[in-house]
Amino acid sequence: ESVALRSSRGDCTYAELRRRSGRVARALVDRAVGPEVTVGVGVARSVSSMAAVLGVLRAGGAYVPIDPAYPDSRQRELASDTEIRALLVDTRLTPAPAWASRDALVDLADLDRDDDDGGALPPVAPTPDALLNVLYTSGTTGRPKGVCGTHGAMLNRLRWAWEALPLDAGEVVAHRATLNFVDAGPEMFTALLRGLPTAVVLPDETADLARFVGALRAMEATRITVVPSILAALVRRVPSLAEALPALRLWISSGEALSVELLRALRASHPGATVVNLYGSTEVTGDATGAVFAPGDPLPQGAVPIGHAIAGAELLVLDAAGAPVATGERGELFVAGPLLARGYHRRPQEDGVRFPRHPQRPDAKAFRTGDLVRREADGALRYLGRADNLVKVRGVRVELEEVEAALSNARCDVIVVRADDDALVAFVTPTDADLDAL
């Protein structure tokens, strides 16, 4: 009867979450969902989305987030690419999408009218390489790329957090990332698998800073993961985060470069908080390096380092020929080890480019990040920029080629460039006299 989930719509105990996820699992098992079978989760972040994800895993399947806020065409593309066996929705929150087959829909609103727990379910014992989820990122061809995450890589990431950032009794972990963002996994599972509450911040609460802060305070969240752009907005809006959110003492920055100025501003706003700067990507199950700044620790004078390897990551800094560079020299970062995703879904050519053979161990793979770094004398890495056209917009990875492909047609040429930290600009050249081409 301990609280598993908190939200502004009410709490959910572990017993109730087990019943709700069990009903989902039973409905999916009846549709022949099992290992390596994908299920779409078209439920916005909520207690229902947590029950949906857990239900997929208890059935033995793999979940594919299909955000109901996405355009119908993108939702349909993700569902088609992964050949989902079923689509989970909750019509109490959002209407079922018009593109989905009625036979494929499983409505949590209908399931929750029953009071059973799904009954006996087949035993599930996934191997470390078993498919956990497929998360889509921006693609260079105009099509999003599905990254195949595994149970082993996620558990590896969670174990690192439990050891490096141990949870104390009474802690509450905030879940604010959309399910299609890689940070959602650790947010959903870190506290849940330790018998502690998870604070589910609803989508409309993240859209308004005042409501966001109010929700975190009401649910007594003690740790949160945010991208620096959101963190900067919070510091501007709430000068004293220590007064507004006294319980929130662990702030994890991820998804974008953390500036020294923002780190100092957060220290001034919440002097008793610990700040963790994490670096990674979906292909490495979220995070591969980290730097921790505890209260009272000296802050860096120059750029904030992305830190040292975490979660068993092997970090290789290589030159254009694939040879290791010396300490202090610029090179491209490759990541290997137990945190690697399986690869891209049905994209063998991109797999070969981004997941090449390990330069020292041909039987293993590495992930080519495309990020330029420098290893300092103390072993910490500093981020120096990109080696390609990938950019981050408010923490979301965007490949400019995908934007160009979406805007281009037979009657115009498009080049997209980064204008500043919050904007992309498209330069359009019509190929005929019709200026209404777009």
Side-chain angles (χ1 to χ4, degrees), residues 249 263-264 266-268 270-275 292-301:
R249 301 179 68 85
L263 180 57
R264 289 173 180 160
L266 179 56
R267 169 70 62 83
H270 205 321
T274 294
V275 182
V292 179
F293 301 94
D297 284 353
L299 298 183
Q301 297 302 309

Side-chain angles (χ1 to χ4, degrees), residues 5-27:
L5 307 175
R6 293 180 178 175
S7 88
S8 59
R9 297 194 182 112
D11 292 347
C12 178
T13 66
Y14 275 88
E16 177 59 20
L17 184 58
R18 180 176 177 81
R19 285 191 290 270
R20 293 184 65 175
S21 63
R23 291 192 286 265
V24 174
R26 169 51 57 192

Side-chain angles (χ1 to χ4, degrees), residues 32-217:
V33 170
E36 304 298 314
V37 176
T38 54
V39 176
V41 176
V43 185
R45 187 178 58 255
S46 59
V47 170
S48 287
S49 69
M50 293 284 286
V53 168
L54 292 172
V56 174
L57 300 182
R58 292 183 66 189
Y63 68 94
V64 181
I66 300 178
D67 196 324
Y70 280 176
D72 279 359
S73 58
R74 176 55 66 95
Q75 294 184 45
R76 186 166 49 245
E77 184 178 9
L78 303 187
S80 174
D81 190 47
T82 49
E83 296 182 332
I84 58 172
R85 182 69 52 84
L87 176 65
L88 298 174
V89 298
D90 189 338
T91 54
R92 294 167 297 191
L93 303 176
T94 52
W99 57 264
S101 163
R102 298 301 100 179
D103 293 338
L105 289 175
V106 177
D107 190 348
L108 273 68
D110 293 335
L111 297 180
D112 286 343
R113 293 191 180 98
D114 296 327
D115 197 32
D116 62 57
D117 61 359
L121 294 167
V124 175
T127 62
D129 193 48
L131 186 65
L132 172 74
N133 54 26
V134 183
L135 304 180
Y136 278 82
T137 69
S138 187
T140 57
T141 63
R143 292 174 51 229
K145 296 181 294 190
V147 179
C148 298
T150 67
H151 280 262
M154 179 58 71
L155 187 55
N156 174 75
R157 168 63 175 77
L158 295 172
R159 282 174 172 155
W160 168 80
W162 296 328
E163 294 171 3
L165 306 168
L167 289 156
D168 296 325
E171 290 222 46
V172 180
V173 176
H175 170 30
R176 57 148 294 275
T178 61
L179 295 190
N180 50 283
F181 195 45
V182 68
D183 285 345
E187 288 179 359
M188 289 190 290
F189 303 132
T190 296
L192 195 68
L193 296 182
R194 282 294 180 265
L196 294 169
T198 298
V200 183
V201 185
L202 304 179
D204 57 350
E205 291 169 339
T206 59
D208 179 273
L209 283 179
R211 293 188 63 192
F212 184 36
V213 172
L216 293 173
R217 185 182 181 94

